Amino acid sequence: MGIIRNSKSLSFSYLADTEVKGIKAYRYWADNKELDNGKYDPDNKCFCSGGNCLPAGGLNVSSCKFDAPAVVSYPHFLFADSNYTQGVIGMRPNPQEHRMYLDIIPELGVPIGVAARMQINIIFEGVLNITQFENITQRIYFPVLWFSETAEPGDDIVSQLKLVLKTIPIIMNVLSFFMVAVGSFLVLSAFVLSILYAQGKIKENPNILSSKPLKDSQENFIRKKE
């Protein structure tokens, strides 16, 4: 992503629910507005270099790359205007293979899958007195290369994530129900005892706090000593 990091940031919008190695996630993707030059999103007109806007689907990064005639697009000009495919052959855009996405675990807010895909193109135009370019009658966006970088966690990380997402919540729920049951039992017991006491079925024993047994024990001890 270094080719565009100095030009603009990318925003990802929700696409669909997905599953990565048995873990549910939300998939976010970079849609056709991210490399738009004002056709779909008027706010993107500010990214037009020198006021000259390219067709939708390509980002002019010449001002960020020492005025090199470079244009960044999605691979195979995915979501791009038809002007980009004129003059080149072999372009077969496929959203499943060429779009950029990010899979997020909703409970944790961390990524579990990512695919970064971009294509670098060079602008060719007709130039007089240069044999290689003088026969070019229209602007050509020539694809130089495209790359795809994908990442997913290993099996050990996946097992730890499943433990955090599935096993621990079950244990916490069981403990919560147990604590609620114990608390309810104690509250109910106190309530029943208070009712029985109010009805006189449980009488207070006046000897519980009496010191008489203690005095009798002291007198018996003195007599034995004598």
Side-chain angles (χ1 to χ4, degrees), residues 13 15-16 19 30-31 34 55 59 76 111 115 135 141 144 146 148 154 166-167 170 179 182 215:
S13 56
L15 177 62
E19 189 172 293
D31 56 18
E34 294 308 309
L59 179 64
H76 288 249
N135 292 327
Y141 302 92
V144 178
W146 72 274
S148 175
K166 297 180 180 181
T167 306
I170 292 175
M179 296 301 294
V182 172
K215 291 181 179 180

Side-chain angles (χ1 to χ4, degrees), residues 30-184:
D31 56 18
N32 59 344
K33 295 181 180 180
E34 294 308 309
L35 298 181
D36 176 40
N37 290 308
K39 179 178 180 180
Y40 303 107
D41 188 355
D43 293 336
N44 285 340
K45 282 189 175 181
C46 61
F47 296 107
C48 297
S49 179
N52 298 320
C53 293
L54 296 177
L59 179 64
N60 191 339
V61 294
S62 58
S63 59
C64 306
K65 301 300 175 183
F66 309 103
D67 293 329
V71 175
V72 172
S73 68
Y74 294 127
H76 288 249
F77 295 117
L78 179 68
F79 306 135
D81 191 272
S82 59
N83 288 326
Y84 288 100
T85 57
Q86 295 178 3
V88 295
I89 59 176
M91 297 293 99
R92 299 180 182 87
N94 185 344
Q96 299 298 327
E97 298 179 359
H98 302 143
R99 67 184 169 199
M100 187 183 304
Y101 66 82
L102 184 66
D103 296 332
I104 301 292
I105 302 176
E107 294 87 351
L108 303 178
V110 297
I112 191 175
V114 61
R117 294 161 175 159
M118 281 291 175
Q119 179 173 292
I120 302 175
N121 313 279
I122 299 297
I123 299 176
F124 286 113
E125 294 181 303
V127 180
L128 295 176
N129 301 323
I130 298 181
T131 305
Q132 290 82 356
F133 296 97
E134 61 183 3
N135 292 327
I136 298 177
T137 58
Q138 63 180 6
R139 174 178 287 187
I140 297 176
Y141 302 92
F142 185 78
V144 178
L145 62 91
W146 72 274
F147 61 88
S148 175
E149 296 183 3
T150 60
E152 289 184 354
D155 294 337
D156 54 340
I157 301 297
V158 170
S159 61
Q160 294 178 17
L161 288 173
K162 288 182 178 179
L163 176 65
V164 172
L165 294 172
K166 297 180 180 181
T167 306
I168 293 181
I170 292 175
I171 296 175
M172 295 301 296
N173 288 334
V174 172
L175 290 176
S176 299
F177 285 124
F178 176 76
M179 296 301 294
V180 170
V182 172
S184 301

